[in-house]
């Protein structure tokens, strides 16, 4: 049989289209059917490069006997967490009330209104202590619904109400330099001095945390903490976590960074490109850029979401087998599949990383690739009203709404392009997008319709949280001269989450990075030149600064006319570099030797 997933845009959902399970995609039809039949929803959440999602699909969802139970007693909904992050966040938060072992596949049982009364992750087809068999779980949930329904609904309402209350926050003062240095030392105290990185197995790249430790404030006030980030990158780059082609795997299952979980995510690699650049590790940065451009880049210029951990080898599905072969032995093997979803915010991260690295390392083709990705996302990832959506596949936009992080991360990438290329139009588009994110986006309409709270916390996962992403883009906009209201927008979000961020810095690296940027006066370099590849511009690109903008006189005037005050009065300059601190500029210089590399 073919169920309703065959015509969806998600590769993950399409992979389940031939299951005997009568799957629905996330949408109002599933809720309506559950209410008509008065049965629970079984919501299964995963993504296309998730190994254990594949395992559970083969063991249970492809099994006709298991499918009979699911179809009889539930309305089954399959969700791609990468397409619907708000849905994933909401149900992951609800699942935490029932299990501490959170991850994917996430299996959630809800009332017909979508409120969770039981949840777990992977369940095997046969009991394996301490895990029960999946069919036994189905039977127990069905019994609870039919025999103890009032209790189940009461539990579901209690979880929903608790999560709604947990979303409230109490603003506090902005963290000062001492508080941020203390937070950095708290993170560094978890450093594994033998193998690098933080904590024990499993070990993740934690790029958001590394980027916070690399801020100028931390390098100045807590240098050993900053050096722990450089040591972590060096350890990862020299380990099995990094493939021969330069791309990094999702995480390592052992403390010494060995036995990776072999999927490779755009989020990790795009952010690690920034980490490598700030660590001065040009070789690692070049390897990551090669992976992004050679493996994840799709037709048209956008970047796919991830590369699978599994592939076919000798007629069998092999987890990691392709990557375990030396490059010389990979010729002729089927490549692990790439999930071709072009996700708006994830592409924003790639645009930022490739633009910064391309400008710094004199790789103009990387900057051009970033611009092509930006053009693709801005053109394709739109709905009928022109609003950005979460993703697209093969040139077709998804119906899933964009998150605040999507919009803000893309805006930050466009700001980076504006500075690197001198084209003010990128900055104008970025400011428009950012204004929408600051105002607030609607979020998933089905969650809102049924009163289901989205994830209450604003911690970083594998990328910055909504609040941190909006704060970061706002800080960038202010540094470029878009106006003080953007600095206040950044500060407002930092204040809102400062207390939990300082208390749990490892989970709030992105927000604390913005906080550090609010404490230190930004260094802004503007080079006005008709030769953007000349010596003066090249010297500026090597300097340690928060903004490096290379513009012609005409471009400088275009920025100023568009309302970016950093460029005011610079349209008449020629072959001059302006070295500024919080918009106060020193006398311009013409000789590259007169432009300090350090702050």
């Amino acid at each position: 049989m073919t169920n309703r997933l065959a015509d969806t845009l998600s590769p993950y959902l399409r992979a389940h289209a031939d299951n005997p399970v009568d799957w629905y995609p996330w949408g109002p039809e599933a809720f309506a059917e559950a209410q008509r039949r008065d049965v629970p929803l079984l919501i299964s959440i995963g993504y296309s490069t998730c190994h254990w999602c594949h395992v559970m699909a083969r063991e249970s969802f492809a099994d006709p006997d298991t499918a009979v139970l699911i179809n009889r007693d539930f309305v089954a909904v399959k969700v791609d967490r990468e397409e619907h992050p708000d849905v994933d966040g909401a149900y992951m938060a609800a699942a935490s009330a029932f299990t501490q072992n959170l991850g994917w596949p996430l299996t959630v049982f809800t009332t017909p209104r979508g409120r969770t009364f039981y949840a777990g992750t992977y369940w095997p087809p046969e009991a394996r202590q301490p895990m029960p068999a999946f069919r036994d779980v189905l039977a127990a949930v069905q019994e609870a619904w039919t025999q103890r329904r009032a209790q189940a609904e009461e539990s579901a309402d209690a979880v929903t109400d608790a999560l709604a209350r947990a979303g409230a926050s109490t603003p506090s003062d902005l963290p000062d330099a001492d508080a941020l240095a203390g937070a950095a030392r708290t993170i560094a105290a978890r450093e594994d001095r033998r193998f690098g990185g933080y904590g024990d197995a499993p070990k993740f790249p934690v790029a958001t945390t590394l980027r916070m430790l690399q801020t100028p404030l931390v390098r100045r006030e807590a240098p050993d903490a900053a050096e722990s980030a450089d040591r972590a990158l060096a350890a990862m780059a020299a380990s099995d976590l990094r493939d021969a082609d330069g791309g990094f795997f999702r995480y390592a299952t052992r403390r010494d960074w060995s036995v990776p979980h072999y999927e490779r995510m755009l989020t990790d690699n795009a952010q690690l490109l920034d980490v490598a650049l700030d660590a001065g590790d040009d070789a690692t940065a070049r390897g990551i850029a090669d992976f992004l451009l050679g493996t994840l880049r799709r037709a048209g210029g956008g970047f796919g979401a991830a590369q699978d951990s599994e592939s076919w080898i000798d007629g069998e599905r092999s987890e990691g087998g392709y990557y375990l072969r030396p490059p010389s032995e990979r010729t002729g093997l089927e490549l692990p599949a790439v999930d071709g979803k072009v996700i708006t915010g994830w592409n924003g991260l790639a645009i930022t990383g490739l633009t910064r690295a391309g400008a710094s390392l004199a790789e103009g083709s990387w900057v051009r690739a970033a611009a092509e990705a930006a053009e693709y996302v801005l053109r394709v990832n739109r709905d009928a009203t022109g609003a950005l959506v979460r993703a697209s596949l093969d040139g077709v936009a998804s119906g899933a709404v964009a998150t605040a992080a999507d919009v803000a991360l893309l805006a930050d990438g466009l700001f980076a392009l504006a500075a690197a290329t001198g084209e003010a139009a990128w900055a104008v588009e970025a400011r428009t997008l950012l204004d929408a994110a600051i105002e607030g986006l609607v979020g998933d309409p089905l969650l809102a319709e049924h009163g289901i709270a989205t994830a209450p916390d604003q911690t970083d996962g594998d990328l910055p949280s909504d609040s941190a992403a909006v704060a970061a883009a706002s800080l960038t906009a202010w540094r470029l001269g878009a106006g003080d209201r953007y600095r206040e927008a950044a500060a407002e979000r930092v204040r809102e989450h400062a207390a939990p961020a300082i208390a749990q810095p490892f989970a709030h690296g992105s927000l604390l990075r913005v906080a550090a940027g609010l404490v230190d006066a930004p260094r802004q370099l503007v080079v006005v030149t008709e030769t953007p590849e000349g010596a003066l511009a090249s010297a500026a690109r090597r300097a340690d600064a928060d903004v490096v903008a290379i513009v012609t006189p005409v471009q400088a005037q275009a920025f100023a006319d568009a309302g970016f005050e950093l460029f005011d009065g610079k349209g008449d300059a020629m072959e001059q570099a302006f070295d500024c601190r919080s918009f106060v500029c020193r006398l311009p210089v013409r000789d590259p030797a007169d432009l300090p590399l350090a702050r």
Side-chain angles (χ1 to χ4, degrees), residues 253-310:
T253 61
R254 294 183 181 173
R255 179 186 165 196
D256 63 356
W257 297 106
S258 64
V259 191
H261 189 60
Y262 287 99
E263 61 186 312
R264 300 199 286 181
M265 310 297 293
L266 176 59
T267 48
D268 295 325
N269 283 279
Q271 292 175 99
L272 286 172
L273 177 54
D274 270 319
V275 171
L277 187 67
D278 289 344
D281 187 345
D282 294 355
T284 297
R286 289 182 180 278
I288 296 170
D290 287 346
F291 166 69
L292 295 178
L293 295 168
T295 300
L296 292 189
R297 196 178 189 203
R298 304 289 88 194
F303 291 90
Q307 187 175 30
D308 209 330
S309 62
E310 295 187 3

